[in-house]
């Protein structure tokens, strides 16, 4: 399939999903009725946009993270980023209960950045032969931070909040006025488009990047910021959604490779389409009730990921852990 | 000229380079030789600002390597390291294209496309241009990296053991190309393990041992049985062939 055809097909699928999404839901929608119009503009369209933005931004954050740590098996959801964002949110909610939304947003982003930074430093100390130790270390770190979050949540009687941030992202609560932070995630992801070559060059390793006149640390910091901001905005607005950042970049890499300039549009559209499709499925299977999109993705994503592991791209997966960049 | 002055370097408290000073002449092929662990690669990395200098100075064409912006240095010198395991799934053409990054910053023009094409032709990579790197053999991938370094078209090239993975024909072809570049006025610094490639193609040799410069000069001056025996701590015979030293290190 040529590049143009692939793009046209992806856009077509997303438009179809988006149109379907505006007509599927518990409430009847009669557009001749003002209340029907309200369902469309206040609920369905924002919900559709929220799913698209979340999916696109998380997939882009996943590919950026995989480039900067040079490992295909990591994503913000398994590197401590999401749990750190939740920790930041929890702390600011406890310390300043009346904090405005922008302050919560900043707290979540800063905490996410700090947590991801810890992850990046931790994996530099791993033995260089075990590729799969990197995601394992990330899962352990996520677990430790998540445990701290849960403990504080119990003590402060805030478990309900934590469930909405971390357990399973879902879009049923999205109405106009309550998803707009996701545009910030989209802007952060858009920055990755402008720095696509830099991330791809960093993927060649710190030595090669330096030789080409880039500062590996600066590119790394930019990448960490993109990942942290995207994750924090998603955690704050709809809750973390698993696997998008993992499976979509891996599939895109198989199809078009890791030249980010070429793969990022496909990654963003793939993420957007996948999350929206899962949200639609969640609205349909036990209608008029709903299953969270994050739960559907947990199942779908796990299956796809297993398939990716079982069926490696033509050559053997790389055997050694590449050298890491200082931050 | 690359001027290295009073460079000392330690890694975790172990001295890697001790009081290294040398001038590497412009317009020549200079080979760094010496036993394993002599500090050749470290010296090359310091020249190429791949590792930051701890003490001392390195200047390339009068640009101080420690203070000149990295992007400007990338127009003066290209560096190819030994660790070429690339996790990325890139096409050969895309990899070579990154060699043009210092010139075009991601907006390639006709000059950049021409440079990529020349590099593809030069390293016999045209049939593989649209293949992914992870689908190539070790030698083909090595050539793709070399092509990227060539596409950077800098006055200086720093190459760390570029003959790794290359077969006889491609090794010889690479050395021939480097000497052609030298004839066109460019300069090459190359870490070599095969002394006979150094003997045949290098204008200037720097022999290193235990983090110090043990000898330097022309092939005639450095590749003597006495110098080599001291350098590698093993007896070596040196014959002459076609007016150049021929080192019998393998028998």
């Amino acid at each position: 399939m040529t590049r143009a055809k692939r793009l046209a097909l992806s856009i077509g699928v997303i438009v179809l999903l988006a149109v379907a999404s505006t007509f599927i839901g518990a409430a009847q929608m009669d557009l001749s009725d003002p209340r029907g119009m309200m369902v469309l503009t206040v609920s369905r369209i924002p919900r559709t946009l929220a799913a698209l933005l979340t999916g696109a931004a998380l997939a882009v954050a996943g590919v950026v993270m995989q480039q900067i740590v040079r490992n295909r098996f990591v994503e913000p959801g398994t590197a401590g980023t999401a749990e750190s964002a939740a920790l930041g949110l929890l702390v600011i909610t406890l310390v300043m209960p009346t904090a405005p939304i922008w302050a919560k947003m900043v707290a979540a982003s800063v905490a996410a950045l700090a947590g991801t930074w810890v992850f990046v430093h931790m994996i530099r100390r791993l033995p260089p032969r075990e590729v799969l130790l990197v995601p394992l270390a990330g899962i352990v770190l996520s677990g430790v931070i998540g445990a701290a979050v849960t403990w504080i949540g119990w003590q402060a009687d805030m478990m309900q909040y934590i469930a909405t941030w971390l357990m399973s992202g879902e879009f049923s609560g999205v109405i106009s006025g309550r998803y707009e932070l996701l545009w910030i995630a989209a802007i952060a992801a858009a920055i990755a488009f402008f720095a696509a070559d830099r991330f791809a060059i960093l993927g060649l390793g710190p030595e090669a990047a330096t030789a080409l006149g880039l500062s590996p640390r600066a590119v790394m910091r930019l990448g960490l910021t993109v990942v942290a901001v995207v994750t924090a905005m998603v955690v704050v607005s709809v809750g973390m959604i698993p696997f998008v950042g993992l499976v979509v970049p891996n599939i895109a890499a198989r199809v078009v490779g890791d030249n980010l300039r070429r793969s990022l549009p496909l990654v963003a559209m793939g993420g957007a389409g996948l999350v929206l499709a899962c949200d639609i499925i969640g609205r349909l299977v036990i209608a008029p009730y709903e299953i969270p999109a994050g739960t559907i993705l947990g199942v779908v994503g796990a299956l796809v990921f297993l398939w990716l592991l079982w069926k490696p791209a033509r050559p053997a997966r790389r055997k050694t852990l590449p050298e890491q960049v200082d931050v | 000229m690359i001027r290295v002055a009073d460079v000392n370097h330690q890694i975790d408290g172990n001295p890697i380079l001790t009081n290294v000073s040398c001038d590497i002449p412009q317009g020549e092929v200079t080979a760094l030789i010496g036993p394993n662990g002599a500090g050749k690669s470290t010296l090359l990395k310091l020249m190429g600002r791949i590792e930051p200098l701890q003490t001392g100075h390195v200047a390339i064409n009068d640009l101080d390597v420690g203070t000149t912006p990295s992007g400007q240095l990338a127009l003066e010198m290209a560096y190819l390291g030994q660790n070429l395991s690339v996790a990325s799934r890139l096409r050969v053409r895309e990899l070579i294209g990154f060699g043009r990054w210092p010139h075009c910053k991601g907006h390639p023009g006709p000059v950049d496309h021409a440079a990529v094409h020349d590099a593809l032709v030069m390293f016999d990579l045209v049939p593989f241009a649209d293949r992914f790197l992870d689908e190539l053999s070790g030698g083909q991938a090595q050539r793709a990296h070399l092509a990227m370094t060539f596409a950077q078209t800098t006055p200086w090239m720093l190459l760390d053991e570029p003959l790794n993975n290359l077969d006889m024909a491609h090794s010889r072809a690479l050395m021939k190309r480097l000497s052609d570049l030298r004839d066109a006025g460019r300069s090459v610094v190359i870490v070599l393990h095969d002394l006979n490639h150094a003997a045949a193609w290098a204008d200037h040799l720097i022999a290193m041992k235990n983090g110090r410069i043990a000898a330097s000069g022309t092939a005639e001056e450095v590749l003597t049985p006495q110098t080599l025996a001291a350098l590698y701590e093993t007896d070596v015979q040196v014959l002459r062939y076609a007016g150049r030293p021929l080192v019998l290190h393998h028998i």
Side-chain angles (χ1 to χ4, degrees):
Chain A
M1 211 178 335
T2 67
R3 204 178 159 187
K5 268 188 191 167
R6 202 153 45 214
L7 279 181
L9 184 72
S10 320
I11 293 171
V13 169
I14 285 181
V15 169
L16 277 180
L17 284 171
V19 170
S21 164
T22 56
F23 286 98
I24 294 169
Q28 287 294 320
M29 198 173 71
D30 177 2
L31 290 185
S32 57
D33 176 7
R35 278 179 53 202
M37 267 323 266
M38 205 176 80
V39 169
L40 182 70
T41 55
V42 176
S43 165
R44 296 285 167 75
I45 291 179
R47 180 174 188 162
T48 305
L49 282 174
L52 290 173
L53 293 175
T54 302
L58 279 178
V60 169
V63 85
V64 168
M65 186 150 207
Q66 288 157 22
Q67 286 292 314
I68 60 181
V69 307
R70 307 180 71 203
N71 188 300
R72 286 203 189 290
F73 303 109
V74 293
E75 65 141 0
T78 57
T81 313
E83 285 74 10
S84 305
L87 185 61
L89 268 178
L90 190 61
V91 168
I92 193 159
T93 313
L94 283 172
V95 178
M96 288 176 60
T98 56
I101 184 73
W102 64 263
K104 292 188 173 166
M105 200 179 87
V106 171
S109 302
V110 170
L113 192 59
T116 319
W117 187 85
V118 169
F119 170 69
V120 167
H121 265 257
M122 208 169 76
I123 61 169
R124 293 185 59 228
R125 298 178 197 287
L126 293 176
R129 298 212 178 274
E130 297 292 336
V131 182
L132 289 173
L133 274 186
V134 171
L136 282 179
I139 290 166
V140 170
L141 182 68
S142 303
V144 171
I145 300 174
V149 171
T150 311
W151 183 75
I152 299 174
W154 273 111
Q155 297 296 317
D157 198 15
M158 291 179 67
M159 283 308 289
Q160 278 188 335
Y161 286 93
I162 293 165
T164 62
W165 296 332
L166 289 183
M167 289 313 166
S168 224
E170 56 116 16
F171 297 92
S172 66
V174 170
I175 53 169
S176 167
R178 283 187 49 192
Y179 79 103
E180 282 75 2
L181 282 182
L182 290 170
W183 286 106
I184 296 178
I187 291 167
I191 290 172
F193 277 74
F194 289 102
D197 280 341
R198 287 180 171 79
F199 291 130
I201 289 174
L202 190 63
L204 298 176
E207 285 193 2
T210 308
L212 291 173
L214 282 181
S215 159
R217 285 175 182 229
V219 182
M220 185 89 173
R221 285 188 198 129
L222 176 66
L224 288 178
T225 308
V226 167
V227 170
V229 170
V230 166
T231 311
M233 294 309 119
V234 170
V235 168
V236 173
S237 9
V238 294
M240 193 58 192
I241 303 210
F243 283 111
V244 191
L246 195 60
V247 295
V248 175
N250 271 288
I251 293 173
R254 291 198 182 183
V255 180
V256 294
D258 281 323
N259 186 6
L260 261 58
R261 184 182 278 243
R262 203 168 162 155
S263 69
L264 271 180
L266 196 65
V267 167
M269 287 194 287
L274 180 63
V275 170
L276 184 57
C278 287
D279 185 41
I280 292 174
I281 296 170
R283 279 181 250 171
L284 289 174
V285 276
I286 52 166
Y289 305 104
E290 293 196 10
I291 295 177
T295 309
I296 305 280
L297 244 166
V299 177
V300 175
L303 290 175
V304 175
F305 188 57
L306 282 177
W307 173 75
L308 286 172
L309 283 178
W310 275 106
K311 227 174 152 284
R314 202 149 44 118
R317 276 178 280 120
R318 43 170 302 102
K319 306 260 182 336
T320 57
L321 185 70
E323 175 193 9
Q324 300 294 329
V325 182
D326 279 318
V327 192
Chain B
M1 182 167 75
I2 294 182
R3 172 158 279 172
V4 177
D6 304 320
V7 166
N8 284 278
H9 199 79
Q10 298 190 336
I11 296 177
D12 299 331
N14 300 315
I16 306 295
L17 296 174
T18 313
N19 292 328
V20 173
S21 296
C22 59
D23 287 344
I24 296 181
Q26 189 149 359
E28 294 194 356
V29 173
T30 300
L32 297 179
I33 61 166
N36 296 335
K40 311 179 292 289
S41 293
T42 305
L43 181 59
L44 199 73
K45 280 183 186 166
L46 293 177
M47 289 181 200
R49 52 89 175 82
I50 304 299
E51 298 243 353
L53 277 166
Q54 292 172 348
T55 61
H57 292 279
V58 175
I60 176 165
N61 295 349
D62 293 326
L63 297 171
D64 186 89
V65 166
T67 55
T68 308
S70 188
Q72 191 183 343
L73 290 173
L75 297 170
E76 292 292 328
M77 60 181 171
Y79 167 90
L80 185 67
Q82 276 189 67
N83 183 6
L84 301 179
S85 61
V86 169
S88 300
R89 204 167 138 79
L90 290 171
R91 289 183 173 80
V92 171
R93 191 192 300 280
E94 294 168 341
L95 179 77
I96 299 174
F98 286 140
R100 298 302 299 173
W101 167 264
H103 299 270
C104 70
K105 304 286 189 230
H107 302 284
V111 180
D112 303 296
H113 292 301
V116 170
H117 182 74
D118 289 348
L120 280 168
V121 172
M122 193 183 286
F123 286 92
D124 299 335
L125 290 166
V126 175
F128 309 109
D130 292 307
R131 287 251 216 116
F132 286 111
L133 278 178
D134 54 9
E135 295 166 358
L136 300 183
S137 76
Q140 289 163 343
Q142 176 82 11
R143 273 150 53 203
H145 281 93
L146 280 162
M148 174 174 81
T149 314
F150 270 68
Q152 211 173 323
T153 51
T154 47
W156 285 84
M157 295 184 71
L158 312 182
L159 307 172
D160 196 350
E161 296 192 32
L163 303 183
N164 282 352
N165 291 323
L166 294 188
D167 61 28
M168 208 166 58
H170 282 108
S171 295
R172 177 159 60 191
L174 173 64
M175 296 310 293
K176 173 77 172 77
R177 263 173 228 130
L178 293 176
S179 80
D180 290 347
L181 287 184
R182 181 258 329 270
D183 294 343
R186 288 159 73 184
S187 320
V188 179
V189 187
I190 179 170
V191 175
L192 281 177
H193 266 299
D194 187 329
L195 293 175
N196 287 322
H197 277 110
W201 299 102
D203 306 300
H204 185 75
L205 275 74
I206 296 178
M208 297 186 67
K209 187 176 184 185
N210 292 335
R212 296 169 191 272
I213 292 180
S216 68
T218 61
E220 300 288 332
E221 290 160 1
V222 175
L223 299 178
T224 61
Q226 296 77 16
T227 310
L228 291 178
L231 192 63
Y232 291 96
E233 293 173 14
T234 180
D235 282 336
V236 178
Q237 280 192 60
V238 180
L239 307 181
R240 295 191 61 80
Y241 177 77
R244 292 266 189 171
L246 178 68
V247 183
L248 301 183
H249 54 77
H250 53 294
I251 42 174

